[in-house]
Amino acid sequence: SWREAIDAGGVTPARVLGVAQASHALGDTQSAEEAFLQAAELDPDSARAALGLGQLYTDAGRFDEARPWLTRAVALEPANPDSKRELAIALGRAGDASAALELLKAAELTGGAAPELHSARAVILGASGDASGARASLRSAVELDPVDAVLRLELATAHELGGDLELHQREPGASP
């Protein structure tokens, strides 16, 4: 098990965080949650552990649990636009679109207009029923990164679906 592997090499926050991230990427949410919690316990100032746990909970639709971890990640690394983007997604999916969109504006001020931020805005607008705004945000994302096949597919799908828009967030830099 991952615990035995870590114990053999010595438990460090970095090792536990690595296991958490790998487990999450492989879809082993139970192991990922345990490891993220252990990483956060070992290093309470780890923004990466807080962000990872918040993302895990957001992916699982556990927004009330995601919010404090993502808020903590933003507090620990206020200049990190990824933390702000993920918190915005959690807020938007929990129904607080206005707070989510304000947070995305703050993330743009910190990190610039990245395709991931426009894609996140599309997710939030789509979840709030604003299909037109979601499509416009996806168009902006594609304009910033015209070779991103996933963004182009999401935009094409959004146009096909018209008002019935459901988008899925992906990891920044993930290949299609």
Side-chain angles (χ1 to χ4, degrees):
S1 83
W2 65 268
R3 291 180 196 275
E4 293 166 349
I6 287 181
D7 289 344
V11 176
T12 66
R15 286 188 178 137
V16 175
L17 184 59
V19 166
Q21 291 168 328
S23 296
H24 189 202
L26 293 171
D28 184 354
T29 56
Q30 182 178 350
S31 292
E33 181 177 12
E34 290 172 11
F36 277 128
L37 286 168
Q38 184 178 6
E41 183 180 312
L42 291 170
D43 183 3
D45 294 327
S46 173
R48 290 177 56 205
L51 175 59
L53 197 53
Q55 287 173 319
L56 180 87
Y57 290 147
T58 297
D59 291 347
R62 296 162 58 183
F63 307 118
D64 289 340
E65 293 171 89
R67 260 184 276 186
W69 288 104
L70 293 169
T71 300
R72 182 175 175 181
V74 169
L76 289 167
E77 287 185 356
N80 183 344
D82 293 339
S83 298
K84 290 177 184 168
R85 183 191 69 239
E86 291 301 324
L87 178 56
I89 290 168
L91 290 170
R93 288 188 172 165
D96 194 352
S98 62
L101 294 171
E102 285 299 317
L103 196 54
L104 284 178
K105 285 181 190 175
E108 283 184 30
L109 293 173
T110 305
E116 295 84 12
L117 295 176
H118 289 283
S119 181
R121 182 173 287 109
V123 169
I124 293 161
L125 292 171
S128 70
D130 183 357
S132 167
R135 285 191 298 273
S137 291
L138 281 174
R139 276 193 298 278
S140 296
V142 169
E143 287 173 10
L144 289 170
D145 189 355
V147 297
D148 187 321
V150 173
L151 287 175
R152 295 176 69 76
L153 179 61
E154 286 178 350
L155 180 57
T157 303
H159 280 293
E160 282 181 22
L161 295 176
D164 187 20
L165 183 63
E166 182 176 321
L167 302 169
H168 304 282
Q169 188 63 27
R170 65 184 171 97
E171 282 294 310
S175 51

